Amino acid sequence: MCTGGCAKCLGGTLIPLALFGFLANILLFFPGGKVIDNNDNLSDEIWYFGGILGSGVLMVFPALVFLGLKNNDCCGCCGNESCGKRFAMFTSTIFAVIGFLGAGYSFVISAVSINKGPKCFMGNSTWGYPFHDGDYLNDQALWSKCQGPADVVPWNLTLFSILLVIGGIQMILCAIQVINGLLGTLCGDCQCCGCCGGDGPV
């Protein structure tokens, strides 16, 4: 597959992943599917907006750049026949790095939150983190330490796990585009063959 076509495929995959990440982060503001009375009782990691910023906003821009690469003019770089597509692929590499960092941010935030566990009501008018070093992951009996909100443990665990997986996939796709973009920068795109009156790739 040509580098431009590969980038378009990657961009088309990143868009729905970004939307799922955005949605998962929004749902975290409603533990157990319910509106919480005091936002201070939400887990700290929710406010870091890993899914909204990292896997969401910072991923949309690279995805749109990738999607537009296949339609770029091979000779559209200030009329210079040799740089149009190559410059576009180089630019996509920069956006791929930005996307990788955004996805990495979401991945780390999700991993930390899963290990830490959710913030919940522990009794005696106390809200806090009853779990330590992910101990609740292997012992479901510990979930009873969270007396409220209802189902907050599986809710947080499921959504942050989704964000973890999404962030991991996005990191892989952006890393692929970094390699793809560098190849396109050095070798050109096969669909540029013959453009501007040339016989070979630009």
Side-chain angles (χ1 to χ4, degrees):
M1 180 183 293
C2 300
T3 54
C6 177
K8 184 176 182 179
C9 179
L10 294 174
T13 306
L14 287 172
I15 290 292
L17 287 175
L19 292 176
F20 282 129
F22 192 95
L23 179 60
N25 201 149
I26 292 296
L27 291 175
L28 283 168
F29 284 97
F30 305 95
K34 301 175 181 65
V35 178
I36 197 168
D37 295 331
N38 187 349
N39 288 335
D40 291 337
N41 295 328
L42 290 171
S43 298
D44 293 338
E45 290 74 22
I46 297 175
W47 295 102
Y48 297 157
F49 302 112
I52 294 176
L53 293 178
S55 289
V57 175
L58 287 179
M59 197 56 58
V60 170
F61 295 111
L64 293 178
V65 170
F66 302 164
L67 287 171
L69 283 176
K70 194 171 184 180
N71 298 323
N72 273 349
D73 182 3
C74 295
C75 314
C77 182
C78 303
N80 189 329
E81 296 181 7
S82 65
C83 75
K85 200 71 172 185
R86 294 174 190 265
F87 181 77
M89 293 304 296
F90 176 73
T91 302
S92 77
T93 303
I94 297 175
F95 276 94
V97 171
I98 294 173
F100 182 90
L101 293 176
Y105 173 75
S106 178
F107 184 90
V108 170
I109 293 299
S110 300
V112 169
S113 182
I114 290 173
N115 183 67
K116 187 177 181 181
K119 187 176 186 179
C120 60
F121 180 68
M122 301 184 296
N124 298 321
S125 301
T126 302
W127 288 77
Y129 298 91
F131 309 121
H132 304 283
D133 297 324
D135 54 358
Y136 73 104
L137 296 173
N138 298 318
D139 188 357
Q140 193 168 337
L142 294 176
W143 293 12
S144 60
K145 290 184 177 181
C146 277
Q147 300 180 21
D151 300 321
V152 64
V153 178
W155 184 267
N156 268 39
L157 180 59
T158 299
L159 291 174
F160 273 116
S161 295
I162 290 174
L163 286 174
L164 186 76
V165 172
I166 289 176
I169 294 174
Q170 289 175 329
M171 289 172 66
I172 293 173
L173 294 180
C174 286
I176 292 174
Q177 179 53 29
V178 169
I179 298 172
N180 182 56
L182 291 175
L183 289 175
T185 301
L186 297 174
C187 306
D189 189 273
C190 64
Q191 292 189 355
C192 289
C193 296
C195 88
C196 304
D199 295 326
V202 177

